[in-house]
Amino acid sequence: MAFLSFLFCFLFQVNSLLIERIPSTSTPPVARSLCAMEAFPDLNVTIVFGGYTDPRNAVSDLWSFDLERKIWSRLAASNDIYPSNFNLAARYNGASFTSSSDLYFYIFGGMSVSGPLNDLWRFQVEGFLWTQIITSGDIPTPRLKFGYSAFTQDDNILKFAVFGGLTMKGDDNNLYL
């Protein structure tokens, strides 16, 4: 069975309803599905993290695609503990969202080889730095197949919502904000 890759970039222009394939001038990441991908229009790039590859392995690599030059680049990230090279736990089917004002790329949860996750990480796009966000309050249990959205309200504070999903105890219908 062939494994399909979406890692050909497609551009959807809302005003004209036109979808156009963007060819790459460099070697793209290995084919995958259920990865996290977010755009940073101010930098003219998209960031891709993790996913599920053939032969059915979760990965933790991090890539950027320069929309102007049409070039893929693998990013070498770090964090405070591992300053030279750091990879998050390999995962797929997690949530991602951005903070375009600060150029942050966030990852929440997903599925790893050890089971579902509920961790929250922030990647600083300009500094290539991962930081784990330690949350408090009523934290969602590890889950997958959940709905999510990121948004701001009148207070201009970035919020992230998680609804439902499949936990180790079964289906869940709680909303977390």
Side-chain angles (χ1 to χ4, degrees), residues 45-59:
V45 300
T46 61
I47 303 289
V48 174
F49 170 74
Y52 199 65
T53 66
D54 196 27
R56 309 289 187 238
N57 292 316
V59 293

Side-chain angles (χ1 to χ4, degrees), residues 63-148:
W63 292 79
S64 71
F65 183 76
D66 184 312
L67 293 164
E68 185 175 315
R69 298 181 310 153
K70 300 180 178 34
I71 294 174
W72 284 104
S73 300
R74 184 165 182 173
L75 303 178
S78 62
N79 78 353
D80 296 335
I81 299 169
Y82 302 99
S84 61
N85 193 8
F86 175 75
N87 288 321
L88 261 57
R91 66 189 71 204
Y92 61 91
N93 204 26
S96 65
F97 60 100
T98 64
S99 170
S100 57
S101 62
D102 300 343
L103 298 177
Y104 287 133
F105 173 66
Y106 292 87
I107 299 290
F108 172 76
M111 183 66 168
S112 73
V113 294
S114 59
L117 303 166
N118 68 340
D119 52 350
L120 178 62
W121 289 84
R122 179 179 68 199
F123 179 70
Q124 186 179 2
V125 176
E126 289 189 311
F128 303 118
L129 180 70
W130 282 112
T131 303
Q132 186 170 15
I133 306 300
I134 306 302
T135 56
S136 61
D138 194 9
I139 301 167
T141 57
R143 64 196 54 234
L144 40 122
K145 300 180 182 177
F146 51 88
Y148 63 93

Side-chain angles (χ1 to χ4, degrees), residues 2-16:
F3 187 74
L4 300 177
S5 171
F6 84 91
L7 284 176
F8 296 103
C9 280
F10 290 90
L11 178 64
F12 175 61
Q13 299 176 30
V14 176
N15 57 347
S16 67

